[in-house]
Amino acid sequence: MSPAHSAYLHLCPAAAVPAPALASAPAADGSKLRFVVTERPAPAGCSSLALGDARIEALHAPGPQAHTARAILLHGDEQDGGFAVSEQILVQPDSSAPPAAPGPMPLHRNLLDAMRVTPYGSEERVRARLEDGRLHLRCEAGIRPAGVLLSGPWRLPLLRGALRLRFAGQGRFAWRAADAAQAARETALELGFLDAAGTETSLRLALPSGLDRAGWRHFVLACPDGPATLELRELALAPTPGAADQRPAPRATWIWEARDWRGRGPALLDWAVSEGIRELFVTVPIAGGRVREPAALSAFVRSARARGIAVSAVEGDPHMVLPSERAASAARAWAVARYNREAAPAARLASLQFDIEPYLLGPEVLAPARLERAYLATAAALRNAAGELPLDFVLPFWWAGKRALLDTLARSADSITVMDYRTAPDQIVEFAMPFLDWGAAHGKRVRIALEAGPVAALTERRYHPAEPGSAGDMLLFELGGQTVLALLREPRAIPGARPFRLAATRRIDGSATSFQGNTAALRALLPRLEADFSAWPGFAGIALHGMR
């Protein structure tokens, strides 16, 4: 955005200012407002702020939550002597954030490193301590129940799995698990026994079916009646992969150019087979309420099916969430469903995927408070239009905490694909688990997507609040009922505006997000991820974006 060199910032109805605007924002009644800078006082029907000699480089209407931010991050890039902003993040104080729900218990990691130990028993015959990832337990003789409770900041994921234990000592200890209801009754479910006989022993204990995983509270390690000692050296959650004779979930990828399947279909299928790809999401041209080249699509789907590859159509545009675009979006879903109804079984598409990403719309197009409701309304409309054709929705990993949205989306979605765009293996698993649990809870299929294509580097600027009344590199203020954030070319102070000063700048490359340039590491990692994820009944495979 070009800097402005004028004296007044105005917020006006869109019809009142046909000239180019700095930014737009929705009014309370849904109409559009525009921000403009001029050298004249307020036009009729506008709200205005005197800028003095302050020069605005970029302007945004972030919503009232900006007033509580303890920091503001701007992502973008240096361009033409200025800073082109692509994303803004409000960092809120921890105390103002709602309490976070417990995260999933990590896989393969020694849980003792982060657990708490609480002795119990009226005879006080237990001595226990956690040290360096090991539990040291001594039990004296007694006749009343005694032992320890082991708790941690997690919930148990909804996977097929077992606890892996390594221990040494003397005596027979019972191992149990309790959820919230059982903990309130001071009861627990039996998992098995740890028979310690001097040398180190390894053991797997299957998780009980009657345990409320989300409500897990603690494990119980119960002492025998006689004297006993135990050193628990490892406690880990180990997924149980799918059966060896079970066909593995397919790997998938996206083909965004229709010409790749329309004119180069054999080469595309050869490549897919060589990469172990068994599902393709392809762009299908639509015109006049119908698939534009049904015969070509039918021939390609037949050829793919003959080579063990399923084909699905993919649609996607952030504007699909807008009420004005909903009917047209539903019409496209209906056209694909019509193709499937008219096609022979061997030529039918496996599903229709929607990669909408509504958060890419600016707040001037769709107010953030309306985004989720609009997304769900569009999903419902697409579901109604698609009929029996299975629908898949592409979601970002950071929607994991949107429980109400995800639970409502389950009414429209047959499956979801999660853009888990990270390269650190532990982080990939951590971000995938809430969605795999969602799939298990709702009986839906869940695909995990990884990025292998180019990701542009960007610059992150971090701004902190400055002293009231001082000059700021960025100013926060109210104008015409809108919360406004203005990035300035040079620091300035404006009466009534809250100043923010640039605190740090850093360059972020794509290595944490994409496997581009490191596909060998990706190929080596895939079997491990697929084995772990197959412990969830709804796991539908891994999708690789940007592989071709």
Side-chain angles (χ1 to χ4, degrees):
M1 180 181 302
S2 299
H5 301 274
S6 299
Y8 295 94
L9 173 67
H10 307 299
L11 177 61
C12 305
V17 283
L22 282 172
S24 301
D29 62 2
S31 63
K32 182 172 287 189
L33 303 172
R34 288 178 176 168
F35 293 94
V36 294
V37 173
T38 73
E39 296 180 352
R40 297 182 300 277
C46 301
S47 301
S48 300
L49 176 73
L51 297 175
D53 63 349
R55 297 191 300 166
I56 296 177
E57 181 167 6
L59 187 141
H60 188 58
Q65 64 271 24
H67 287 289
T68 59
R70 63 181 174 86
I72 297 175
L73 307 182
L74 297 183
H75 289 169
D77 219 339
E78 310 288 342
Q79 289 183 6
D80 301 324
F83 189 69
V85 179
S86 59
E87 183 183 24
Q88 167 211 272
I89 300 171
L90 304 176
V91 182
Q92 298 291 351
D94 294 339
S95 59
S96 69
M105 186 177 287
L107 305 182
H108 304 297
R109 195 180 309 167
N110 186 3
L111 303 173
L112 296 171
D113 288 328
M115 298 192 88
R116 299 183 302 275
V117 58
T118 306
Y120 71 89
S122 59
E123 296 173 316
E124 298 185 357
R125 60 189 182 97
V126 177
R127 299 290 179 271
R129 74 180 191 279
L130 278 170
E131 187 175 272
D132 297 328
R134 296 189 176 195
L135 170 66
H136 302 270
L137 176 63
R138 175 177 294 277
C139 304
E140 305 298 339
I143 58 174
R144 295 186 180 277
V148 295
L149 308 179
L150 287 166
S151 57
W154 314 292
R155 55 179 170 76
L156 272 168
L158 302 179
L159 79 172
R160 296 179 296 263
L163 297 175
R164 186 178 68 239
L165 303 98
R166 286 189 303 109
F167 58 90
Q170 294 289 340
R172 191 174 208 228
F173 298 80
W175 188 274
R176 305 178 182 121
D179 56 32
Q182 291 149 354
R185 298 192 302 266
E186 296 186 356
T187 61
L189 296 174
E190 296 280 357
L191 274 72
F193 290 91
L194 280 61
D195 290 308
T199 58
E200 181 174 282
T201 302
S202 297
L203 180 67
R204 286 175 67 96
L205 297 175
L207 296 172
S209 58
L211 187 68
D212 173 17
R213 302 288 185 90
W216 172 81
R217 288 296 178 267
H218 51 245
F219 297 121
V220 181
L221 186 56
C223 297
D225 292 341
T229 60
L230 185 77
E231 183 181 279
L232 183 58
R233 297 172 178 173
E234 182 187 32
L235 169 63
L237 178 61
T240 301
D245 59 350
Q246 178 181 334
R247 187 178 184 185
R251 294 178 187 174
T253 196
W254 286 268
I255 304 300
W256 293 108
E257 297 292 338
R259 64 174 179 265
D260 285 338
W261 64 262
R262 214 165 39 202
R264 309 166 190 166
L268 171 59
L269 296 177
D270 287 344
W271 170 83
V273 169
S274 71
E275 289 288 348
I277 301 293
R278 292 196 287 114
E279 192 162 3
L280 297 174
F281 297 104
V282 304
T283 299
V284 175
I286 295 170
R290 301 184 68 100
V291 167
R292 196 160 63 195
E293 299 176 76
L297 180 60
S298 173
F300 177 72
V301 173
R302 288 175 183 271
S303 297
R305 188 185 294 268
R307 304 190 69 173
I309 299 171
V311 179
S312 293
V314 59
E315 291 275 326
D317 187 296
H319 294 85
M320 284 182 167
V321 300
L322 300 178
S324 59
E325 298 293 327
R326 199 164 291 147
S329 301
R332 295 182 68 83
W334 188 88
V336 176
R338 178 179 180 175
Y339 164 84
N340 252 31
R341 289 193 301 270
E342 296 175 352
R348 289 174 186 162
L349 297 163
S351 66
L352 173 57
Q353 182 185 78
F354 283 94
D355 182 10
I356 298 176
E357 304 186 45
Y359 41 83
L360 296 179
L361 295 175
E364 70 278 5
V365 179
L366 180 65
R370 298 166 52 199
L371 186 148
E372 293 183 18
R373 186 167 63 252
Y375 182 83
L376 291 171
T378 294
L382 296 172
R383 172 75 280 162
N384 185 60
E388 297 181 359
L389 179 64
L391 288 189
D392 180 84
F393 290 87
V394 179
L395 311 178
F397 72 84
W398 42 268
W399 275 16
K402 296 181 179 294
R403 292 293 301 276
L405 182 147
L406 292 173
D407 289 345
T408 304
L409 183 62
R411 303 172 193 167
S412 302
D414 296 284
S415 62
I416 61 173
T417 295
V418 181
M419 294 182 288
D420 194 353
Y421 292 169
R422 289 295 183 268
T423 56
D426 287 350
Q427 202 169 52
I428 292 171
V429 174
E430 177 187 351
F431 291 165
M433 289 169 72
F435 294 97
L436 293 166
D437 279 354
W438 174 88
H442 290 278
K444 305 293 183 179
R445 300 170 69 243
V446 177
R447 186 181 293 101
I448 304 302
L450 304 177
E451 179 62 75
V455 174
L458 56 84
T459 297
E460 178 183 272
R461 289 184 176 183
R462 186 180 187 94
Y463 295 83
H464 288 170
E467 287 295 321
S470 65
D473 300 294
M474 188 161 58
L475 300 178
L476 180 68
F477 50 89
E478 293 291 317
L479 181 62
Q482 297 283 336
T483 302
V484 182
L485 196 61
L487 178 64
L488 306 181
R489 274 295 180 103
E490 301 91 12
R492 290 291 186 271
I494 294 178
R498 182 186 180 193
F500 283 75
R501 296 302 302 268
L502 180 62
T505 300
R506 67 177 180 132
R507 192 71 173 163
I508 302 174
D509 65 21
S511 62
T513 304
S514 176
F515 284 93
Q516 187 191 32
N518 198 13
T519 53
L522 173 60
R523 290 186 174 92
L525 178 62
L526 287 175
R528 170 185 151 189
L529 294 176
E530 289 164 336
D532 282 350
F533 293 157
S534 71
W536 277 266
F539 174 56
I542 291 179
L544 304 172
H545 187 264
M547 278 293 285
R548 188 173 189 268

